[in-house]
Amino acid sequence: MFFLSDMLNKKLKLPTSGEALPGRARAIPTASKHYVSRRPLKGPYPEGFEQALFGLGCFWGAERLFWQIPGVWVTAVGYAGGLTPNPTYQETCTGLTGHAEVVLVVYDPAQVSYGELLKIFWEAHDPTQGMRQGNDVGTTYRSAIYTFSDSQQAEAVASRDAYQAALKAAGREKITTEIAAVPQFYFAEDDHQQYLAKNPYGYCGLKGTGVACAIPDKAAV
């Protein structure tokens, strides 16, 4: 019983540098192309396209959500926000790498705005749950937005504040989403890329709050 309690506590608390798994120097193997679009997973990406990085629980369903959006050029799943270099899926699941499961979204800003992606992000999950998402418990499943520019950072914070007001009005709890400059992103293994396209009846834990998110005008941010 002590062992199970100890493991659960580790999963609900980010590891220190002394607790984190050592990882490895080399990147773990992954797919070269997107299973659905056949576009290059690691680029090169078209000139003028932008990137976004979101964590909203299990990355299988989260990735499928984003690859279906018009204007999204390619998506990939991976790990970010932790300490262990080049982690494996099994390592991140222990909670001892510090990483969140995340989705990299490469998109054409002429077709879909960052604000629109933020709206989808907020409404697709429950950002008030801390180190969990539904039945998925642990630091790996925390809500996170990692930003690639000052503009993205400002939009993300403004959208959080607007959604917090909507959640409060609906009697919901405080948002726990981590918003920070983009850290090192590590591509997940091949079998996790576009998992629900390969396994149509696979697990998807996405579940929103039912509260709509009104994104502030970018010009007002």
Coordinates of all heavy atoms in Angstrom, one line a residue, residues 66-125:
F66 N -6.7 18.2 -33.6 CA -6.1 19.3 -34.3 C -5.8 19.0 -35.8 O -5.8 19.8 -36.6 CB -4.8 19.7 -33.6 CG -5.0 20.5 -32.3 CD1 -4.9 19.9 -31.1 CD2 -5.4 21.8 -32.4 CE1 -5.1 20.7 -29.9 CE2 -5.7 22.6 -31.3 CZ -5.5 22.0 -30.0
W67 N -5.5 17.7 -36.1 CA -5.2 17.4 -37.5 C -6.4 17.6 -38.4 O -6.2 17.7 -39.6 CB -4.4 16.1 -37.7 CG -5.3 14.8 -37.8 CD1 -6.3 14.6 -38.7 CD2 -5.1 13.6 -37.0 NE1 -6.8 13.3 -38.5 CE2 -6.0 12.7 -37.5 CE3 -4.2 13.2 -36.0 CZ2 -6.2 11.4 -37.0 CZ3 -4.4 11.9 -35.5 CH2 -5.3 11.0 -36.0
Q68 N -7.6 17.6 -37.8 CA -8.8 17.7 -38.6 C -9.2 19.2 -38.9 O -10.1 19.4 -39.7 CB -10.0 17.0 -37.9 CG -9.7 15.5 -37.7 CD -10.9 14.8 -37.0 OE1 -11.9 14.4 -37.7 NE2 -10.9 14.8 -35.7
I69 N -8.5 20.1 -38.3 CA -8.8 21.5 -38.5 C -8.3 22.1 -39.8 O -7.1 21.9 -40.1 CB -8.2 22.3 -37.3 CG1 -8.8 21.8 -36.0 CG2 -8.5 23.8 -37.5 CD1 -8.1 22.4 -34.8
P70 N -9.1 22.7 -40.6 CA -8.7 23.3 -41.9 C -7.6 24.3 -41.6 O -7.8 25.2 -40.7 CB -10.0 23.9 -42.4 CG -11.1 23.1 -41.9 CD -10.6 22.7 -40.5
G71 N -6.5 24.3 -42.3 CA -5.4 25.2 -42.1 C -4.3 24.6 -41.3 O -3.2 25.2 -41.3
V72 N -4.5 23.5 -40.6 CA -3.5 22.8 -39.9 C -2.7 21.9 -40.9 O -3.4 21.1 -41.6 CB -4.0 22.0 -38.8 CG1 -2.9 21.1 -38.2 CG2 -4.5 22.9 -37.6
W73 N -1.4 22.1 -41.1 CA -0.7 21.5 -42.1 C -0.2 20.1 -41.7 O -0.2 19.1 -42.4 CB 0.5 22.4 -42.5 CG 1.2 21.9 -43.8 CD1 0.8 22.2 -45.1 CD2 2.5 21.2 -43.9 NE1 1.7 21.6 -45.9 CE2 2.7 21.1 -45.2 CE3 3.4 20.8 -42.9 CZ2 3.9 20.4 -45.7 CZ3 4.5 20.1 -43.4 CH2 4.8 20.0 -44.8
V74 N 0.3 20.0 -40.4 CA 0.8 18.7 -39.9 C 0.7 18.8 -38.4 O 0.8 19.9 -37.8 CB 2.2 18.4 -40.4 CG1 3.3 19.1 -39.7 CG2 2.5 16.9 -40.3
T75 N 0.6 17.6 -37.8 CA 0.6 17.5 -36.3 C 1.6 16.4 -35.9 O 1.9 15.5 -36.7 CB -0.8 17.2 -35.7 OG1 -1.2 16.0 -36.3 CG2 -1.8 18.3 -36.0
A76 N 2.0 16.5 -34.7 CA 2.9 15.4 -34.1 C 2.7 15.4 -32.6 O 2.5 16.4 -32.0 CB 4.3 15.6 -34.5
V77 N 2.8 14.2 -32.0 CA 2.8 14.1 -30.6 C 4.2 14.0 -30.0 O 5.1 13.5 -30.6 CB 1.9 13.0 -30.1 CG1 0.4 13.2 -30.5 CG2 2.3 11.6 -30.6
G78 N 4.3 14.4 -28.7 CA 5.6 14.3 -28.1 C 5.6 14.7 -26.7 O 4.5 14.7 -26.0
Y79 N 6.7 15.0 -26.1 CA 6.9 15.3 -24.7 C 7.6 16.7 -24.5 O 8.5 17.0 -25.2 CB 7.7 14.2 -24.0 CG 7.3 12.8 -24.5 CD1 8.2 12.1 -25.3 CD2 6.0 12.3 -24.2 CE1 7.8 10.8 -25.7 CE2 5.7 11.0 -24.6 CZ 6.5 10.3 -25.4 OH 6.2 9.0 -25.8
A80 N 7.1 17.5 -23.6 CA 7.7 18.8 -23.4 C 7.5 19.2 -21.9 O 6.6 18.8 -21.3 CB 7.2 19.8 -24.3
G81 N 8.3 20.1 -21.5 CA 8.1 20.7 -20.2 C 8.8 20.0 -19.0 O 8.6 20.3 -17.9
G82 N 9.6 19.0 -19.3 CA 10.3 18.2 -18.3 C 11.8 18.4 -18.2 O 12.3 19.3 -18.7
L83 N 12.4 17.4 -17.6 CA 13.8 17.4 -17.3 C 14.6 16.4 -18.1 O 15.8 16.6 -18.4 CB 14.1 17.3 -15.8 CG 13.5 18.4 -14.9 CD1 13.6 18.0 -13.5 CD2 14.2 19.7 -15.2
T84 N 14.0 15.2 -18.3 CA 14.7 14.1 -18.9 C 14.9 14.3 -20.4 O 13.9 14.4 -21.2 CB 13.9 12.8 -18.6 OG1 13.8 12.6 -17.2 CG2 14.6 11.6 -19.3
P85 N 16.2 14.2 -20.9 CA 16.4 14.3 -22.4 C 16.0 13.1 -23.1 O 16.2 12.0 -22.7 CB 17.9 14.6 -22.5 CG 18.5 13.9 -21.2 CD 17.4 14.1 -20.2
N86 N 15.3 13.3 -24.2 CA 14.9 12.2 -25.1 C 14.2 11.1 -24.4 O 14.6 9.9 -24.4 CB 16.1 11.7 -25.9 CG 16.7 12.7 -26.8 OD1 16.1 13.3 -27.7 ND2 18.0 13.1 -26.5
P87 N 13.1 11.4 -23.7 CA 12.4 10.3 -22.9 C 11.6 9.4 -23.8 O 11.2 9.7 -24.9 CB 11.5 11.2 -22.0 CG 11.1 12.3 -22.9 CD 12.4 12.7 -23.6
T88 N 11.3 8.2 -23.2 CA 10.4 7.3 -23.9 C 9.0 7.4 -23.3 O 8.8 8.1 -22.2 CB 10.9 5.8 -23.7 OG1 10.8 5.5 -22.3 CG2 12.3 5.6 -24.1
Y89 N 8.1 6.8 -24.0 CA 6.7 6.9 -23.4 C 6.6 6.2 -22.1 O 6.0 6.8 -21.1 CB 5.8 6.1 -24.4 CG 4.3 6.1 -24.0 CD1 3.5 7.3 -24.1 CD2 3.7 4.9 -23.5 CE1 2.2 7.2 -23.7 CE2 2.4 4.9 -23.1 CZ 1.6 6.1 -23.2 OH 0.3 6.0 -22.8
Q90 N 7.3 5.1 -21.9 CA 7.2 4.4 -20.6 C 7.8 5.2 -19.5 O 7.4 5.2 -18.4 CB 8.0 3.0 -20.8 CG 7.3 2.0 -21.6 CD 7.3 2.2 -23.1 OE1 8.2 3.0 -23.5 NE2 6.5 1.5 -23.8
E91 N 8.9 5.9 -19.9 CA 9.5 6.8 -18.9 C 8.6 8.0 -18.4 O 8.5 8.3 -17.3 CB 10.9 7.3 -19.4 CG 12.0 6.2 -19.4 CD 13.2 6.7 -20.2 OE1 13.1 7.7 -20.9 OE2 14.2 6.0 -20.0
T92 N 8.0 8.6 -19.4 CA 7.1 9.7 -19.0 C 6.0 9.3 -18.2 O 5.5 10.0 -17.3 CB 6.6 10.4 -20.3 OG1 5.8 9.5 -21.1 CG2 7.7 11.0 -21.2
C93 N 5.5 8.1 -18.4 CA 4.3 7.6 -17.6 C 4.7 7.4 -16.2 O 3.8 7.3 -15.3 CB 3.8 6.2 -18.3 SG 2.9 6.5 -19.8
T94 N 5.9 7.2 -15.8 CA 6.3 7.1 -14.4 C 6.1 8.4 -13.7 O 6.1 8.4 -12.4 CB 7.8 6.7 -14.3 OG1 8.6 7.7 -14.7 CG2 8.0 5.4 -15.0
G95 N 6.1 9.5 -14.4 CA 6.0 10.8 -13.7 C 7.4 11.3 -13.3 O 7.5 12.4 -12.7
L96 N 8.5 10.6 -13.7 CA 9.8 10.9 -13.3 C 10.6 11.6 -14.4 O 11.8 11.7 -14.3 CB 10.5 9.7 -12.7 CG 9.9 9.1 -11.4 CD1 10.6 7.8 -11.1 CD2 10.0 10.1 -10.3
T97 N 10.0 12.1 -15.4 CA 10.7 12.9 -16.4 C 10.2 14.3 -16.3 O 11.0 15.2 -16.8 CB 10.4 12.3 -17.8 OG1 9.1 12.7 -18.2 CG2 10.6 10.8 -17.9
G98 N 9.1 14.6 -15.8 CA 8.5 15.9 -15.7 C 7.8 16.4 -16.9 O 7.3 17.5 -16.9
H99 N 7.8 15.6 -18.0 CA 7.2 16.1 -19.2 C 5.7 15.9 -19.2 O 5.1 15.1 -18.5 CB 7.7 15.2 -20.4 CG 9.2 15.5 -20.7 ND1 9.7 16.6 -21.2 CD2 10.3 14.7 -20.4 CE1 11.0 16.6 -21.3 NE2 11.4 15.4 -20.8
A100 N 5.0 16.8 -20.0 CA 3.6 16.6 -20.3 C 3.5 16.0 -21.7 O 4.4 16.2 -22.6 CB 3.0 18.0 -20.3
E101 N 2.4 15.3 -21.9 CA 2.1 14.8 -23.3 C 1.6 16.0 -24.1 O 0.6 16.7 -23.6 CB 1.1 13.7 -23.3 CG 1.6 12.4 -22.7 CD 0.7 11.2 -22.9 OE1 -0.3 11.4 -23.6 OE2 0.9 10.2 -22.3
V102 N 2.2 16.3 -25.2 CA 1.8 17.5 -26.0 C 1.6 17.2 -27.4 O 2.0 16.2 -28.0 CB 2.8 18.6 -25.8 CG1 2.9 19.1 -24.4 CG2 4.2 18.1 -26.3
V103 N 0.9 18.1 -28.1 CA 0.7 18.1 -29.6 C 1.3 19.3 -30.2 O 1.1 20.4 -29.8 CB -0.8 18.0 -29.9 CG1 -1.0 17.9 -31.4 CG2 -1.5 16.9 -29.2
L104 N 2.2 19.0 -31.2 CA 2.8 20.1 -32.0 C 1.9 20.3 -33.2 O 1.5 19.4 -33.9 CB 4.2 19.7 -32.5 CG 4.9 20.6 -33.5 CD1 5.2 21.9 -32.8 CD2 6.1 20.0 -34.1
V105 N 1.5 21.6 -33.4 CA 0.6 21.9 -34.5 C 1.3 22.9 -35.4 O 1.7 24.0 -35.0 CB -0.7 22.6 -33.9 CG1 -1.7 22.9 -35.0 CG2 -1.4 21.6 -32.9
V106 N 1.4 22.5 -36.6 CA 2.0 23.4 -37.7 C 0.9 23.9 -38.5 O 0.1 23.1 -39.1 CB 3.1 22.7 -38.5 CG1 3.7 23.7 -39.5 CG2 4.2 22.1 -37.6
Y107 N 0.7 25.2 -38.6 CA -0.5 25.7 -39.3 C -0.2 26.9 -40.1 O 0.8 27.6 -40.0 CB -1.6 26.1 -38.2 CG -1.2 27.2 -37.3 CD1 -1.6 28.5 -37.5 CD2 -0.3 27.0 -36.2 CE1 -1.3 29.5 -36.6 CE2 0.0 28.0 -35.3 CZ -0.4 29.3 -35.6 OH -0.1 30.3 -34.7
D108 N -1.2 27.1 -41.1 CA -1.1 28.3 -42.0 C -1.9 29.4 -41.3 O -3.2 29.3 -41.2 CB -1.7 27.9 -43.3 CG -1.7 29.1 -44.3 OD1 -1.3 30.2 -43.9 OD2 -2.1 28.8 -45.5
P109 N -1.3 30.5 -40.9 CA -2.0 31.6 -40.2 C -3.0 32.3 -41.1 O -3.8 33.1 -40.6 CB -0.9 32.5 -39.6 CG 0.3 32.2 -40.5 CD 0.2 30.8 -40.9
A110 N -2.9 32.1 -42.4 CA -3.8 32.7 -43.3 C -5.1 32.0 -43.4 O -6.1 32.5 -43.8 CB -3.2 32.8 -44.7
Q111 N -5.1 30.7 -42.8 CA -6.3 29.9 -42.9 C -6.9 29.7 -41.5 O -8.1 29.6 -41.3 CB -6.0 28.6 -43.5 CG -5.7 28.6 -44.9 CD -5.6 27.2 -45.5 OE1 -6.5 26.4 -45.4 NE2 -4.4 26.8 -46.0
V112 N -6.1 29.6 -40.5 CA -6.6 29.5 -39.1 C -5.6 30.3 -38.2 O -4.4 30.2 -38.3 CB -6.6 28.0 -38.7 CG1 -5.2 27.3 -38.8 CG2 -7.2 27.8 -37.3
S113 N -6.2 31.0 -37.3 CA -5.4 31.9 -36.4 C -5.0 31.2 -35.1 O -5.6 30.2 -34.8 CB -6.2 33.2 -36.0 OG -7.3 32.8 -35.2
Y114 N -4.0 31.7 -34.5 CA -3.6 31.2 -33.2 C -4.8 31.3 -32.2 O -5.0 30.4 -31.4 CB -2.4 31.9 -32.7 CG -1.8 31.3 -31.4 CD1 -1.3 30.0 -31.4 CD2 -1.7 32.0 -30.2 CE1 -0.8 29.4 -30.2 CE2 -1.1 31.5 -29.1 CZ -0.7 30.2 -29.1 OH -0.1 29.6 -28.0
G115 N -5.5 32.4 -32.2 CA -6.7 32.5 -31.4 C -7.7 31.4 -31.6 O -8.3 30.9 -30.6
E116 N -7.9 31.0 -32.8 CA -8.9 30.0 -33.1 C -8.4 28.6 -32.5 O -9.2 27.8 -32.0 CB -9.2 29.9 -34.6 CG -9.9 31.0 -35.1 CD -10.0 31.1 -36.7 OE1 -8.9 30.8 -37.3 OE2 -11.1 31.3 -37.2
L117 N -7.1 28.4 -32.6 CA -6.5 27.2 -32.0 C -6.7 27.2 -30.5 O -6.9 26.2 -29.9 CB -5.1 27.0 -32.4 CG -4.8 26.8 -33.9 CD1 -3.3 26.8 -34.2 CD2 -5.5 25.6 -34.4
L118 N -6.5 28.4 -29.9 CA -6.6 28.5 -28.4 C -8.1 28.2 -28.0 O -8.3 27.5 -27.0 CB -6.3 29.9 -28.0 CG -4.8 30.2 -28.0 CD1 -4.5 31.7 -27.8 CD2 -4.0 29.4 -26.9
K119 N -9.0 28.7 -28.8 CA -10.4 28.4 -28.5 C -10.7 26.9 -28.5 O -11.4 26.4 -27.6 CB -11.3 29.1 -29.5 CG -12.8 28.9 -29.3 CD -13.7 29.6 -30.3 CE -15.1 29.3 -30.2 NZ -15.7 29.7 -28.9
I120 N -10.2 26.2 -29.5 CA -10.4 24.8 -29.6 C -9.7 24.1 -28.4 O -10.2 23.2 -27.8 CB -9.8 24.3 -30.9 CG1 -10.7 24.8 -32.1 CG2 -9.7 22.7 -30.9 CD1 -10.0 24.7 -33.4
F121 N -8.5 24.5 -28.0 CA -7.7 24.0 -26.9 C -8.6 24.1 -25.6 O -8.8 23.1 -24.9 CB -6.4 24.7 -26.8 CG -5.7 24.6 -25.4 CD1 -5.0 23.4 -25.2 CD2 -5.8 25.5 -24.4 CE1 -4.3 23.2 -23.9 CE2 -5.2 25.3 -23.2 CZ -4.5 24.2 -23.0
W122 N -9.0 25.3 -25.3 CA -9.7 25.5 -24.0 C -11.0 24.7 -24.0 O -11.4 24.1 -22.9 CB -10.1 27.0 -23.8 CG -8.9 27.9 -23.6 CD1 -8.5 28.9 -24.3 CD2 -8.0 27.8 -22.5 NE1 -7.3 29.5 -23.8 CE2 -7.0 28.8 -22.6 CE3 -7.9 27.0 -21.3 CZ2 -6.0 29.1 -21.7 CZ3 -6.8 27.2 -20.4 CH2 -5.9 28.2 -20.6
E123 N -11.8 24.6 -25.1 CA -13.1 24.0 -25.0 C -13.0 22.5 -25.1 O -14.0 21.8 -24.8 CB -13.9 24.5 -26.2 CG -14.3 26.0 -26.0 CD -15.2 26.6 -27.1 OE1 -15.4 25.9 -28.1 OE2 -15.7 27.7 -27.0
A124 N -11.9 21.9 -25.5 CA -11.8 20.5 -25.7 C -11.4 19.7 -24.5 O -11.5 18.5 -24.5 CB -10.7 20.2 -26.8
H125 N -11.0 20.4 -23.4 CA -10.6 19.7 -22.2 C -11.0 20.5 -21.0 O -11.6 21.6 -21.1 CB -9.1 19.4 -22.2 CG -8.2 20.6 -21.9 ND1 -8.2 21.7 -22.6 CD2 -7.3 20.7 -20.9 CE1 -7.3 22.6 -22.1 NE2 -6.8 22.0 -21.1

